[in-house]
Amino acid sequence: MASQDHIRNHVERGFDQARLAVLTVGRDAAMPPVRRIKAADLGDVLVRGIDDFEAYRTDIIFLCLIYPVVSIVLVWLTFSHGMLPLLFPLASGFALVGPFAAVGLYEMSRRREQGIRITWLDAFGVIRSPRFGTIMVLGLALLAIFLLWLLAANLIYQFTLGPEPPVSIAAFAREIFTTSAGWAMTLIGVSVGFLFAVLVLTISVVSFPLLLDRDVGLATAVRTSIRAVAANPSPMAVWGLIVAGGLVIGSISAFLGLIIVMPVLGHATWHLYRKVVS
């Protein structure tokens, strides 16, 4: 019972912090300094991410089994509810909520950096963070962006190949690659999806690690992330391509590759934050 009360108190405090975060958006003033980095620095970031993964491989693999499971469930729901046109938007949209899904991995890297012995359970230490409520608010914002992307993808389908759902996967693939409407859907969808991805990268690449690491508010975290991207447009563009490419590779083998790709990218994001924010 005491343990349940302990967890409940953390969650209740998180909701209180979330409400406060919403009420105080825009009131932060102090901005952490932002460094300029080079694209070559991303190699070191990935090496450090791989090192974190290898240091706690068993724990992290156990923790990250949830990623392919969730992805497979989403695919199953797509097929079972006749939403085949949303299959690719659902799979690619995982990148939009990925920064929030990787918060536990940031926490593991943060603790390892401090020399603390950790297990997979420490990934949930984020619940005890003083900024847990603020992290939840930002996570809900990414979820809202993800839902908007699905809405946009559905509208694009409706105005190109729709409104009738495809009769089969083969017929859907044939329409995509052999008709002008299919090519229009692909080009418009990729372009719109790119804009959503840029938005999420800009507001989240630094903000989640910063909230874990320092006593800052939501506005400061998001503005710092925007400043970090603005100061390093080329390296951040390359980082976005690395993340997108990694998620594609991780999704090819029935999403099982995400067990490795997600933790490496998550840990690497923490080290990217360390390089960018002084």
Side-chain angles (χ1 to χ4, degrees), residues 32-51:
V34 169
R35 298 190 188 102
R36 293 183 182 275
I37 63 172
K38 298 179 181 179
D41 291 321
L42 300 179
D44 180 58
V45 162
L46 287 172
V47 168
R48 291 173 181 267
I50 293 171
D51 185 57

Side-chain angles (χ1 to χ4, degrees), residues 71-113:
S71 300
I72 291 170
V73 169
L74 288 176
V75 170
W76 176 77
L77 288 174
T78 300
F79 280 101
S80 63
H81 288 78
M83 298 186 298
L84 182 58
L86 291 182
L87 178 59
F88 176 75
L90 275 170
S92 60
F94 190 74
L96 301 180
V97 294
F100 178 52
V103 166
L105 298 167
Y106 307 155
E107 177 67 6
M108 292 180 76
S109 286
R110 186 183 74 86
R111 294 189 178 206
R112 188 190 181 207
E113 192 178 74

Side-chain angles (χ1 to χ4, degrees), residues 196-208:
F196 276 97
V198 169
L199 171 62
V200 168
L201 175 71
T202 302
I203 67 174
S204 69
V205 67
V206 161
S207 53
F208 282 109

Side-chain angles (χ1 to χ4, degrees), residues 48-49 52-53 56-57 59-67 94 98-113 118-120 122-126 209 212 258-271:
R48 291 173 181 267
D52 282 355
F53 171 72
Y56 302 100
R57 187 181 308 169
D59 288 325
I60 291 174
I61 286 177
F62 177 78
L63 174 69
C64 293
L65 281 172
I66 189 173
Y67 298 131
F94 190 74
F100 178 52
V103 166
L105 298 167
Y106 307 155
E107 177 67 6
M108 292 180 76
S109 286
R110 186 183 74 86
R111 294 189 178 206
R112 188 190 181 207
E113 192 178 74
I118 58 176
T119 68
W120 68 273
D122 291 302
F124 298 97
V126 65
L212 279 175
L258 294 177
I259 297 174
I260 296 175
V261 171
M262 276 298 297
V264 169
L265 291 176
H267 292 308
T269 299
W270 172 263
H271 295 291

